[in-house]
Amino acid sequence: MIQITREPIDSSAVLAAVSDPDCGANLLFLGTTRRWTGDVETLELNYECYEGMAEKELQKLCEEARQRWDLRGLCVVHRIGKVPVGQASVAVGVSSPHRADGFAAAEWLIDTLKQVVPIWKQEVSRSGDTSWVHPDSGVKP
Amino acid sequence: MMDVNVVLFARARELAGSDSICLSLDDEATVADLKTQLLRQYPALGELLPHCTLAVDHVYSDDGTRLHDGCEIGCIPPVSGG
């Protein structure tokens, strides 16, 4: 199951969605807004996505993960809009009969999501500065 | 000629001053041709466009990808989800 939402992520619902009695491992990863990046204090992150394409790319990731590892439940939720410090912007839930598959799949899913899914974050600092995060582009706003 | 719709995101949207741009291109146009025309009409994109990947109808493309009338081009700056 994949979902892009403007609402706060219900992490217990993500875990419940992947729960499976045939699995010995149930994993939940939450990516949250961190307060400090170096000496910049973040107030919130503001996410936007390419609606339509982002869902398709997430779906492709889930299909590939299922081919590579022995998984049962799989759920990826990404929140867009403003995400304050401490709250989750992304959740990855995975269940697998054995934990090695679940750990490997969850790590690959979040790493690959960050590389290919058309979603962007804008950092809003306590000082009021805003800047889009475009890794490795060398572009400074 | 064909008409295509370019949708822009994040810093690219801000630099262009618009989230959507309609362009008219020759029938045989490729992604590379579109980039050239985009830069001509929106020079402010010059700093970021070389780092963007373009998607044609929601599929990542390269410079040689052929366009078609009515297609949607996503101008995708380096992503930063998660």
Side-chain angles (χ1 to χ4, degrees), chain A residues 47-50 52-53 56-57 78 89-90 113-122 132-135 137 139 141, chain B residues 7-15 47-48 51 55 57-60 72-82:
Chain A
Y47 287 86
E48 80 176 44
C49 80
Y50 185 178
M53 182 170 174
K56 287 178 187 170
E57 289 296 314
H78 206 300
S89 55
V90 64
L113 178 157
K114 288 163 95 61
Q115 292 166 1
V116 305
V117 179
I119 299 175
W120 302 267
K121 65 165 75 79
Q122 184 185 46
W132 287 102
V133 180
H134 292 313
S137 70
V139 176
Chain B
V7 289
L8 304 109
F9 300 93
R11 184 71 182 146
R13 170 171 49 74
E14 292 181 351
L15 289 170
E47 57 171 311
L48 186 56
H51 302 284
D57 293 332
H58 293 171
V59 178
Y60 283 118
E72 178 176 289
I73 317 295
C75 179
I76 299 178
V79 300
S80 55

Side-chain angles (χ1 to χ4, degrees), chain A residues 12 19 23 29 32 36 45 53 60 67 84 94 112 124 129 133:
Chain A
S12 56
S19 168
C23 290
F29 169 81
T32 53
W36 291 99
L45 297 173
M53 182 170 174
K60 278 193 227 169
Q67 288 172 5
V94 175
T112 313
V124 181
D129 293 337
V133 180

